[in-house]
Amino acid sequence: MLGRKPKVVVVGGGPGGYEAALVAAQLGAQVTVVERAGMGGSTVLTDVVPSKTLISVAEVMNQASEAEALGLRFPGSDGDPETAEPITVDLARVNARVRKLAEAQSADIARRLDAEGVRVLRGSGRLDGTERVVAELAGGGSEVLDADITLVSTGSSPREMDSARPDGERILTWKQLYQLESIPERLVVVGSGVTGAEFASAYDALGSDVVLVSSRDRVLPGQDGDAAEVIEDVFRRRGMELMGRSRAKAARREGDGVVVTLEDGREVRGSHCLMAVGSVPNTVGIGLEEAGVELSGSGHVQVDRVSRTSARGVYAAGDCTGVLPLASVAAMQGRTAMWHALGDAVSPLRLRKVSANIFTAPEIATVGWTQEQVESGEVDGEVLMLPLAGNARAKMLGIRDGFVKLFASTGSGRVLGGVVCAPRASELIFPVALAVEHGLTVDQVAHAFTVYPSLSGSVAEAARRLHASPEIA
Ligand SMILES: Cc1cc2nc3c(=O)[nH]c(=O)nc-3n(C[C@H](O)[C@H](O)[C@H](O)COP(=O)(O)OP(=O)(O)OC[C@H]3O[C@@H](n4cnc5c(N)ncnc54)[C@H](O)[C@@H]3O)c2cc1C
């Protein structure tokens, strides 16, 4: 080992970067983070934190819109939801709160890093070989940093189409939404992946007329089919217009609105358009290839399961690696890199154990093997789906949609994975994640007490029913 403190330089201060910096500082390294925007990265400033804050407002709106059915009356209502005076959203205030909360979270992270002795430089970093990073400082000038270990955690940016350039006013990326002062009258969302579906769901609840343009025949391609079907049903019931098999070719401003042109020549008009057509890694022009860091065809940094790149001493974490674009995964990749680089105990990343959530209404949470993998025989298992409509608590809460689905290994009954489609599925998936992580059987899950009445009772009930399955017993 070195006779002095190892020098660690982190380029990019999102969860991939700042979590790594904290671990490195804990393990005794001298750590510098170079970040060009703000600590917490896009995760905190423009992506996860703002979107989930906005969505939490949409959640309240959804509850309010369903309150009539529970017996509540709003001014002007005679008990008929159609005649109730709508609750309105002051988007300028909502967005001001969203931005403030994100900035406060970023400041919290900066304080924590400072308290742990991590040096933060505001500026752009680029590799100069494998043992030096050059920081072009935001205030002018540059600094050359020696690095025994470098972590690249530069994240990704929204993919932009030449024919649909965002202007920040009418044609928007998801990062530009928080500058809006009023609810878009008619929002055309291009892209029905996780980001598109989440914003379509949120803006629909906040009061926009939403058109969701999807190139595929179903929303949320690649996700659990039953859950996607629930989301489509709910979206349609709320009046959203879903355009499947409709690939957008271009978007342009026209007067006070936008026109989205589809590949088949049709045009979709709206007041605003959100382009949610994926992202590209921030890996260009930062000296990676010159330092011997291998990139994939899509420009992502190639890493192994302990976050090593092809260049000695250079690690990478988060969205720039394209491994799995989640803040939790970025953070774990960053920590893993430092545990490995600084000689601490480390276990390679296991994606099968990652819980993920789509924050639509209802939410969709998943962990472990998928139904597709079970049904294709990739893993030998059984599937059990339990609609929430039969759950006592769901009835009390007026929840009509959603389900709990568990997959269990044939023979042993070990929980392989699951899907929860429900309000706050992000919380309900945890018992399934615990079962997957620790190899619990459906019987072990079923024998744990759940509160009566509770939505989590359906997780235990699904496990109980899998025991009864003759294929497993
Ligand atoms: C709308 C939206 C919602 C999402 N919601 C969720 C969610 O609910 N849960 C979840 O787990 N994930 C969510 N994600 C995914 C999540 O945002 C990413 O997986 C996560 O941000 C990746 O973290 P990161 O550290 O790789 O990058 P980032 O958080 O993007 O941080 C990278 C940082 O690097 C900086 N940087 C780039 N290049 C340089 C350079 N050369 N020098 C210095 N600094 C540089 C950037 O300024 C940025 O601050 C969402 C994504 C989007 C788009």
Side-chain angles (χ1 to χ4, degrees):
M1 201 55 210
L2 299 165
R4 54 170 174 78
K5 281 186 168 196
K7 291 181 179 172
V8 171
V9 179
V10 176
V11 184
Y18 76 75
E19 287 288 343
L22 289 172
V23 167
Q26 186 185 46
L27 296 178
Q30 183 185 323
V31 192
T32 307
V33 179
V34 186
E35 165 57 53
R36 65 184 180 193
M39 288 316 299
S42 307
T43 307
V44 169
L45 293 168
T46 57
D47 296 357
V48 186
V49 171
S51 68
K52 265 74 259 189
T53 312
L54 183 84
I55 286 168
S56 59
V57 178
E59 214 176 302
V60 177
M61 286 296 283
N62 273 329
Q63 284 166 356
S65 73
E66 280 155 22
E68 286 271 347
L70 305 181
L72 301 189
R73 293 272 174 102
F74 290 99
S77 158
D78 56 5
D80 175 0
E82 296 301 317
T83 60
E85 249 176 57
I87 299 179
T88 52
V89 176
D90 181 345
L91 194 65
R93 279 186 70 186
V94 169
N95 277 341
R97 174 176 175 263
V98 168
R99 294 193 302 266
K100 200 169 153 200
L101 200 145
E103 276 154 26
Q105 178 74 7
S106 171
D108 274 357
I109 294 167
R111 267 193 297 276
R112 169 89 200 280
L113 288 168
D114 187 49
E116 302 298 330
V118 174
R119 184 169 175 239
V120 174
L121 292 180
R122 183 74 178 264
S124 264
R126 84 182 137 76
L127 274 62
D128 177 16
T130 56
E131 290 172 10
R132 257 194 314 269
V133 170
V134 179
E136 303 291 346
L137 302 175
S142 64
E143 190 172 326
V144 178
L145 302 157
D146 290 328
D148 299 306
I149 298 150
T150 303
L151 179 80
V152 180
S153 48
T154 47
S156 61
S157 302
R159 187 166 81 82
E160 293 183 9
M161 290 161 53
D162 285 338
S163 54
R165 284 273 165 230
D167 62 7
E169 287 179 4
R170 297 277 167 179
I171 303 174
L172 305 157
T173 69
W174 60 76
K175 293 181 191 288
Q176 296 168 331
L177 288 170
Y178 309 103
Q179 305 303 328
L180 290 177
E181 294 278 305
S182 55
I183 295 288
E185 211 172 295
R186 185 171 157 85
L187 177 67
V188 183
V189 177
V190 176
S192 68
V194 175
T195 301
E198 285 188 355
F199 282 116
S201 179
Y203 273 93
D204 171 69
L206 294 172
S208 292
D209 271 341
V210 175
V211 186
L212 183 55
V213 178
S214 170
S215 59
R216 312 289 187 85
D217 46 3
R218 200 185 72 185
V219 302
L220 295 170
Q223 303 290 335
D224 182 82
D226 292 311
E229 211 171 286
V230 169
I231 295 302
E232 281 200 350
D233 286 350
V234 172
F235 279 2
R236 284 208 176 88
R237 199 168 67 219
R238 293 187 178 194
M240 196 188 296
E241 194 180 329
L242 302 186
M243 301 183 69
R245 294 192 197 165
S246 303
R247 187 175 287 277
K249 196 172 73 176
R252 65 176 193 278
R253 278 183 78 143
E254 203 175 274
D256 271 352
V258 289
V259 181
V260 175
T261 313
L262 306 183
E263 269 186 357
D264 61 12
R266 282 177 296 160
E267 290 189 334
V268 189
R269 285 168 191 277
S271 61
H272 296 75
C273 164
L274 167 66
M275 298 299 296
V277 289
S279 36
V280 289
N282 298 328
T283 52
V284 177
I286 53 170
L288 291 173
E289 282 147 308
E290 296 83 341
V293 175
E294 210 176 293
L295 303 182
S296 68
S298 56
H300 290 97
V301 181
Q302 302 282 82
V303 286
D304 65 13
R305 289 170 63 213
V306 291
S307 309
R308 274 182 301 198
T309 70
S310 53
R312 197 176 162 77
V314 180
Y315 290 72
D319 281 12
C320 68
T321 68
V323 167
L324 185 60
L326 286 176
S328 52
V329 172
M332 190 55 81
Q333 284 181 292
R335 292 184 204 111
T336 300
M338 292 304 120
W339 288 324
H340 184 270
L342 297 167
D344 209 52
V346 63
S347 31
L349 189 70
R350 287 173 305 164
L351 294 181
R352 190 94 56 212
K353 309 280 170 104
V354 175
S355 319
N357 192 63
I358 302 170
F359 290 82
T360 41
E363 297 178 5
I364 304 169
T366 49
V367 67
W369 294 86
T370 64
Q371 181 161 356
E372 214 177 7
Q373 289 169 319
V374 173
E375 286 176 351
S376 69
E378 200 178 321
V379 58
D380 198 8
E382 306 297 323
V383 177
L384 191 125
M385 182 165 131
L386 201 59
L388 276 183
N391 177 295
R393 186 79 188 278
K395 289 177 196 164
M396 295 166 197
L397 292 166
I399 297 170
R400 286 181 284 168
D401 309 292
F403 58 82
V404 168
K405 198 192 272 189
L406 285 186
F407 315 127
S409 178
T410 308
S412 72
R414 223 164 26 85
V415 177
L416 296 169
V419 182
V420 179
C421 179
R424 299 281 160 96
S426 46
E427 313 288 348
L428 291 168
I429 198 70
F430 187 55
V432 188
L434 270 181
V436 170
E437 174 66 35
H438 298 292
L440 302 184
T441 65
V442 285
D443 286 348
Q444 285 171 315
V445 173
H447 288 174
F449 273 97
T450 55
V451 168
Y452 180 82
S454 66
L455 296 183
S456 55
S458 285
V459 177
E461 177 63 17
R464 230 175 341 266
R465 292 198 193 186
L466 274 166
H467 172 78
S469 168
E471 289 89 345
I472 283 188

